[in-house]
Amino acid sequence: MIALGLEGSANKLGIGIIQHDANGEAIVLANVRHTYITPPGQGFLPSDTARHHRAWIIPLMKQAFAEAKISFFQIDCICFTKGPGIGAPLNSVALVARTLSLMFKKPLVAVNHCIGHIEMGREITGAQNPVVLYVSGGNTQVIAYSQRKYRIFGETLDIAIGNCLDRFARVIGLSNAPSPGYNIMQEAKRGNQFVELPYTVKGMDCSFSGLLSGVEAVANEAMDGINANEITKQDLCYSLQENGFAMLVEITERAMAHVGADSVLIVGGVGCNDRLQQMMGEMCLDRGAKVYATDERFCIDNGIMIAQAGLLAFKTGGICSLEDSTITQRFRTDDVHVAWRE
Amino acid sequence: MEPLPHKVEIRVPFPSEQDAKLCMQVLAPDRELKEDHVARTLSLDGNYLIAKYFCSSARMTRVTLNSFFENLHLVVDSMHELCSL
């Protein structure tokens, strides 16, 4: 069976085409993406992001089908991100999904973005029932599967770790290309001093708004020349990562201890970060556990993960009617009935 | 004073009735964000899609109609460009 996946919940527009062979093995036929990148110091606003997606979805769709070398008639279902995410961009993509569904008379499958990340991570890495750390610009959750639900064991109480990183990148004027998080990771490798910053873990959960305020305050002092120790941008990027990622490792470990897990799967855009993978690896080594992560094709938002999760749902009857093909900015990971697993 | 005094009717011609109906079915599921400021009906008249908007202010009318045309444009372009995939 072949599924088309459309993703546009934030500034990445992704289209993927995936094939499941008779054994259920997944083959990626196409995975194309275009990112809306704003100038340094600026974030992306909803209406501008939607405008980007509207401008790029048709050329990207043609590119996907050219790469896959199939015709639309071979598609079994059209999967799209129902949520969570930003309203206007999500809606632009849903309109095209509906149009294709009616034009080619193919069923629609509504997909939860977080579950897209999880299912693609499982498929690519082969991880068997890991604790999942889902970290991106919009989400920070620790998830474990139990009885047909991806249950949230811990999460951020305010902003996502990626949002903290992205907003700090704006303060210090880093480029948003290819992504602000990538540039923070590169700057951090050149850091020498560790700066004390707020560390906020609350039981199974964590919080990043205090960390963001803290690191911004030190950055502003340094830029005003107030700081005697000559703290550099690189030192702050390094300290921000060490501090924020340690918080994530702590809440992940707590969940692992609760469920007796022997592996961690890191998904979401921040999952590309070498340092996070390294720190998680050190914790897992201590516990005799394994870390699984994917590369930037799959951890950064993409269409193939929507196709993958969508096709799994489709095979277990998860079709969405036109009336139900609306989008939603808030969509909890544990609201989805995971019919395709035991 | 009426709550939604600004009324606009848009008649969009399509090559056929089926095309107009398809477009209507694509746009219909989404509800207006500010339902106490904007009311909308969608209907068909032969090969025309009829969109009627009732808005609370000139500003709401402008914002709503801009959004309608952006979405309509996207759907029409998709129908035109992607039918040969």
Side-chain angles (χ1 to χ4, degrees):
Chain A
M1 299 189 101
I2 301 180
L4 170 68
L6 277 57
E7 155 59 31
S9 58
N11 65 328
K12 278 76 73 184
L13 176 65
I15 299 181
I17 303 177
I18 204 160
Q19 180 171 28
H20 282 187
D21 67 17
N23 307 323
E25 293 268 321
I27 306 157
V28 175
L29 299 181
N31 188 19
V32 296
R33 177 171 63 215
H34 195 272
T35 306
Y36 172 48
I37 298 178
T38 45
Q42 291 182 30
F44 50 91
L45 295 172
S47 55
D48 299 328
T49 309
R51 184 169 306 121
H52 165 271
H53 290 0
R54 287 195 302 267
W56 281 91
I57 192 162
I58 289 171
L60 211 58
M61 187 72 67
K62 291 179 176 176
Q63 190 190 341
F65 277 84
E67 273 186 31
K69 297 187 179 49
I70 62 167
S71 93
F72 209 100
F73 297 101
Q74 294 170 257
I75 297 282
D76 289 293
C77 59
I78 300 167
C79 314
F80 69 100
T81 310
K82 183 179 180 73
I86 307 173
L90 278 170
N91 194 248
S92 300
V93 174
L95 286 173
V96 176
R98 289 179 209 150
T99 304
L100 289 168
S101 170
L102 287 167
M103 282 205 299
F104 291 96
K105 299 181 176 32
K106 301 287 181 183
L108 280 169
V109 180
V111 180
N112 176 300
H113 180 89
C114 316
I115 295 198
H117 277 292
I118 297 171
E119 290 301 343
M120 202 63 206
R122 289 182 62 224
E123 178 60 39
I124 294 292
T125 65
Q128 297 297 317
N129 226 3
V131 159
V132 179
L133 175 65
Y134 169 36
V135 275
S136 70
N139 293 282
T140 294
Q141 296 173 2
V142 176
I143 295 156
Y145 175 77
S146 173
Q147 297 190 315
R148 300 221 159 78
K149 280 212 164 145
Y150 284 111
R151 298 175 192 270
I152 302 174
F153 275 70
E155 60 186 325
T156 176
L157 297 170
D158 42 50
I159 62 175
I161 176 72
N163 190 241
C164 180
L165 295 170
D166 293 351
R167 284 162 68 180
F168 183 61
R170 282 181 235 163
V171 167
I172 57 174
L174 291 185
S175 167
N176 289 321
S179 74
Y182 177 84
N183 293 324
I184 289 191
M185 179 173 77
Q186 298 304 102
E187 294 291 311
K189 289 174 182 170
R190 292 153 54 200
N192 294 308
Q193 289 190 75
F194 180 73
V195 179
E196 287 283 344
L197 293 168
Y199 183 96
T200 323
V201 168
K202 305 191 180 188
M204 306 290 294
D205 298 319
C206 56
S207 139
F208 293 100
S209 57
L211 175 56
L212 177 60
S213 307
V215 72
E216 281 177 345
V218 181
N220 289 327
E221 281 178 4
M223 292 196 287
D224 291 340
I226 294 173
N227 216 291
N229 299 336
E230 293 187 25
I231 294 170
T232 64
K233 266 198 275 193
Q234 288 79 13
D235 295 334
L236 288 174
C237 289
Y238 167 68
S239 306
L240 177 59
Q241 287 197 164
E242 294 300 296
N243 196 313
F245 294 167
M247 288 160 56
L248 294 174
V249 171
E250 182 180 336
I251 63 169
T252 305
E253 184 168 20
R254 194 156 285 130
M256 288 169 80
H258 268 282
V259 305
D262 62 4
S263 61
V264 176
L265 169 63
I266 312 179
V267 299
V270 182
C272 294
N273 191 297
D274 303 324
R275 185 58 187 141
L276 175 59
Q277 290 183 20
Q278 192 179 29
M279 289 169 73
M280 197 66 72
E282 285 168 22
M283 176 273 283
C284 283
L285 195 61
D286 286 347
R287 300 184 63 87
K290 280 196 72 169
V291 189
Y292 293 95
T294 62
D295 66 38
E296 58 82 42
R297 285 171 297 167
F298 306 110
C299 59
I300 297 179
D301 288 349
N302 60 83
I304 202 79
M305 72 190 193
I306 302 301
Q308 170 66 8
L311 189 47
L312 289 171
F314 179 67
K315 286 178 177 179
T316 46
I319 291 175
C320 153
S321 69
L322 267 179
E323 295 70 44
D324 292 336
S325 69
T326 50
I327 57 91
T328 175
Q329 296 197 146
R330 298 192 201 295
F331 189 0
R332 295 290 281 169
T333 313
D334 49 15
D335 266 350
V336 175
H337 176 69
V338 182
W340 56 93
R341 290 186 67 174
E342 282 304 307
Chain B
M1 182 61 187
E2 270 188 78
L4 304 173
H6 299 261
K7 302 180 188 13
V8 183
E9 177 177 312
I10 302 164
R11 299 174 59 86
V12 187
F14 280 85
S16 70
E17 286 188 42
Q18 296 98 291
D19 286 346
K21 183 177 180 194
L22 194 151
C23 185
M24 183 176 79
Q25 288 177 290
V26 170
L27 296 174
D30 299 317
R31 302 176 66 157
E32 293 298 321
L33 286 173
K34 296 189 171 157
E35 289 185 324
D36 46 344
H37 289 272
V38 181
R40 172 200 78 184
T41 65
L42 290 175
S43 56
L44 295 170
D45 179 10
N47 60 320
Y48 280 81
L49 168 68
I50 320 277
K52 289 188 189 162
Y53 280 94
F54 305 84
C55 304
S56 59
S57 67
R59 184 191 161 273
M60 274 317 297
T61 310
R62 171 178 61 80
V63 163
T64 303
L65 255 48
N66 278 342
S67 178
F68 170 74
F69 282 118
E70 282 165 350
N71 290 337
L72 175 68
H73 192 183
L74 176 65
V75 176
V76 167
D77 269 1
S78 300
M79 288 167 73
H80 187 66
E81 299 272 343
L82 301 179
C83 58
S84 53
L85 278 177

